[in-house]
Amino acid sequence: MTLSSIAMDGNATPSVHEAARTSRIGLDWSRAVQFLMDEQQLFRARNPLSEQMATRARGHLLFGVPLHWMNDWGTPFALHVAKAKGAVVTDVDGHELIDFCLGDTGAMFGHCPEPVARALASQGAKGLTTMLATEDAGVVGELLAERFGLPFWQFAMSATDANRYLLRWVRAATGRKKLLVFNGCYHGTIEDVFVDLIDGRPHQRDSLLGQVHDLLEHTVVVEFNDLAGLERALQGGDVACVLAEPVMTNIGMVLPAEGFWDAAQEVIRRHGTLLILDETHTISTGPGGYGREHGIRADAVVMGKPLGGGVPCAAYGMTAELAQRAASAKQKAPPGHSGIGTTLTGNMLALAAMRATLSEVMTPKAYEGMNQQSCRLADGLRQLIAKRRLPWCVTQVGARVEFQFCESPPMSGAEAGEVLDGTLEHIIHLGLLNRGVMITPFHNMLLVCPQTTEAHVNRLLDALDDVVSHLLPESLIAEGS
């Protein structure tokens, strides 16, 4: 096999005999398989320029794309984009797609916000990176402190890096080596978090390529919403921190049970462990994230993709106490590289984008409009699911909405993982793309940005209803129409 042939096989189709899964209750799987084949043909016919570009890219790009995740859309070949503005993406074949993916959160506040575009143009004419501070740095620090309630901040190029650097600071500050995460979590590609619970036992994730060190030595994993499990895991007094999203978002949405975070904070602090909240996705809740909105007092917070309006950047903040302990650890360490930060960390371009985003884009007014449309979207999804008599549910965290293949929202990563169905998701996502709508290719997550309109929401709901109608037994279609 040559490198040019290493790409997604868009001709692969699921077997009719794969129907026996709980996620497919109420569906006619033979009709779903035929629908997928028809949609693959339609996609090829609609996107000749994308296919030409995808064929060319396979000559020199591994998997034919800049990042292999770009093949996760369920399409016969990679869709290529010409431009993106607001809530609309235009592909190279001229199709306008209403975008509810929004760069998997990177463009949560719309593609190419005007204040960010202006700031980038202005800063680009004056310099891109110098490894020196600018006025923007101090202003961004002030804006972050005001917004998240934590006084001291540092920057990174991605939330992955921010999590990695913060974990190093916390281990240095506490003298403890272990990390606790929740089963099914996602905090970027920091290696330490790729540990799952399988039948109640921790297991290093098999999909983690090239990992040679045993992650189980320093990573502890428990189920989300499991207070007893959290208590047991922290009893040894050797866990430096709990790294968590306040709402799990990447295995399918898992909401905290009522009172969970109040009780969890007490358990965490009683054992001398620190709490890090990764708000990269849950910034959808409000200007200060889920933690600020719901009174979670974290020792540190991570913010990633949305912070720069689409420009690669991230930031992490900490309490004055943790900052003092971290600074003390650095002062006591031998001279040399700390292993924290990169040459482009805090570059001039990223800081200009962050200042513009925090000052003019991530505003309370923007959230007001986003939440209005996301509530309309969530209600519409529930009505559609009820009309089609599907055993699915809808979860929502601010501007983030998801429909899941189970009757009630899952309460743990294990429960959420059991109802994931990549084949069914690809069928739905491909059908939506062919109808001018795009949602996130990982599970069924949808985001609403400030430019999303009621017409956009209605377009999605109509497209999804049409797709679902092709998956149901023919005898039920007329009843639900």
Side-chain angles (χ1 to χ4, degrees):
M1 178 179 289
T2 64
L3 287 181
S4 62
S5 66
I6 301 176
M8 183 184 66
D9 181 7
N11 293 315
T13 56
S15 166
V16 174
H17 301 294
E18 293 179 15
R21 297 187 57 162
T22 56
S23 56
R24 300 171 188 176
I25 293 173
L27 305 183
D28 183 331
W29 196 242
S30 61
R31 292 193 76 224
V33 171
Q34 183 60 54
F35 177 71
L36 174 59
M37 292 188 289
D38 293 343
E39 293 299 304
Q40 288 174 337
Q41 292 179 7
L42 178 58
F43 185 86
R44 287 186 181 279
R46 282 169 49 86
N47 298 285
L49 288 181
S50 268
E51 185 165 20
Q52 290 177 24
M53 293 181 183
T55 300
R56 179 181 180 181
R58 290 190 191 108
H60 295 285
L61 297 183
L62 186 64
F63 303 104
V65 284
L67 173 66
H68 66 86
W69 297 355
M70 294 178 181
N71 278 330
D72 286 352
W73 294 86
T75 56
F77 46 83
L79 186 68
H80 282 63
V81 173
K83 60 182 179 179
K85 181 67 176 176
V88 177
V89 165
T90 305
D91 66 34
V92 294
D93 286 282
H95 305 119
E96 288 193 349
L97 303 169
I98 310 304
D99 188 7
F100 289 89
C101 171
L102 298 172
D104 190 23
T105 308
M108 180 183 288
F109 300 97
H111 293 287
C112 199
E114 291 292 344
V116 176
R118 288 195 303 269
L120 293 176
S122 174
Q123 184 60 55
K126 295 182 290 186
L128 303 178
T129 185
T130 59
M131 209 175 74
L132 294 168
T134 62
E135 179 189 9
D136 287 339
V139 174
V140 170
E142 292 169 359
L143 292 170
L144 289 168
E146 178 183 3
R147 186 173 290 245
F148 291 97
L150 295 173
F152 292 101
W153 290 81
Q154 288 279 270
F155 302 106
M157 289 300 294
S158 70
T160 290
D161 282 345
N163 281 314
R164 180 179 288 116
Y165 302 157
L166 192 48
L167 180 58
R168 294 183 73 94
W169 283 122
V170 166
R171 282 170 165 161
T174 63
R176 298 180 179 186
K177 297 180 178 180
K178 289 188 177 181
L179 161 71
L180 186 145
V181 294
F182 291 111
N183 186 35
C185 71
Y186 182 75
H187 300 286
T189 54
I190 175 175
E191 295 83 355
D192 304 67
V193 305
F194 284 85
V195 177
D196 298 318
L197 282 177
I198 299 178
D199 296 326
R201 298 174 65 88
H203 183 81
Q204 184 168 305
R205 196 171 300 178
D206 292 333
S207 62
L208 186 58
L209 292 174
Q211 178 63 30
V212 296
H213 304 294
D214 182 8
L215 299 179
L216 301 183
E217 183 177 357
H218 293 124
T219 301
V220 181
V221 59
V222 301
E223 289 288 4
F224 196 66
N225 285 319
D226 182 2
L227 287 170
L230 180 65
E231 178 80 57
R232 289 192 300 271
L234 297 181
Q235 282 179 347
D238 55 355
V239 175
C241 65
V242 172
L243 173 59
E245 289 185 290
V247 175
M248 295 185 71
T249 65
N250 213 66
I251 196 168
M253 206 167 326
V254 182
L255 302 172
E258 185 175 355
F260 170 73
W261 275 117
D262 288 339
Q265 289 178 88
E266 189 279 323
V267 172
I268 291 167
R269 289 192 169 82
R270 177 156 40 83
H271 291 288
T273 302
L274 301 180
L275 173 61
I276 301 174
L277 287 186
D278 185 343
E279 291 266 19
T280 300
H281 284 178
T282 52
I283 192 65
S284 62
T285 310
Y290 188 96
R292 200 80 191 270
E293 188 84 10
H294 294 270
I296 303 175
R297 294 178 295 108
D299 298 284
V301 166
V302 169
M303 262 300 302
K305 290 176 281 192
L307 196 55
V311 174
C313 63
Y316 57 98
M318 57 186 76
T319 62
E321 179 186 1
L322 176 55
Q324 189 278 324
R325 294 170 72 182
S328 177
K330 178 69 177 77
Q331 291 160 3
K332 293 176 182 177
H337 203 298
S338 65
I340 298 173
T342 61
T343 307
L344 291 175
T345 296
N347 67 79
M348 301 159 78
L349 201 63
L351 283 163
M354 284 189 272
R355 180 175 181 174
T357 302
L358 288 165
S359 300
E360 302 180 66
V361 179
M362 292 173 62
T363 63
K365 183 178 179 180
Y367 276 99
E368 183 179 347
M370 291 162 68
N371 288 332
Q372 182 181 29
Q373 294 301 337
S374 64
C375 288
R376 179 176 284 114
L377 172 58
D379 289 342
L381 288 171
R382 293 187 181 99
Q383 292 172 21
L384 187 159
I385 288 167
K387 181 182 77 169
R388 294 301 185 182
R389 302 181 186 178
L390 289 167
W392 300 354
C393 66
V394 176
T395 44
Q396 179 184 6
V397 176
R400 179 178 296 269
V401 180
E402 181 154 357
F403 61 95
Q404 293 168 277
F405 304 135
C406 48
E407 290 187 280
S408 57
M411 297 304 293
S412 69
E415 290 182 14
E418 286 176 0
V419 298
L420 291 179
D421 187 335
T423 302
L424 178 55
E425 291 161 12
H426 280 174
I427 293 172
I428 293 172
H429 301 168
L430 177 57
L432 290 176
L433 280 173
N434 283 338
R435 287 154 181 78
V437 178
M438 183 164 62
I439 72 173
T440 307
F442 318 122
H443 39 96
N444 298 308
M445 191 271 290
L446 306 96
L447 284 166
V448 170
C449 69
Q451 298 81 21
T452 304
T453 66
E454 184 176 356
H456 292 154
V457 171
N458 291 338
R459 174 85 174 271
L460 167 66
L461 294 172
D462 289 343
L464 181 59
D465 192 39
D466 185 50
V467 169
V468 168
S469 73
H470 289 84
L471 313 182
L472 298 172
E474 291 189 69
S475 60
L476 296 180
I477 298 173
E479 294 181 31
S481 62

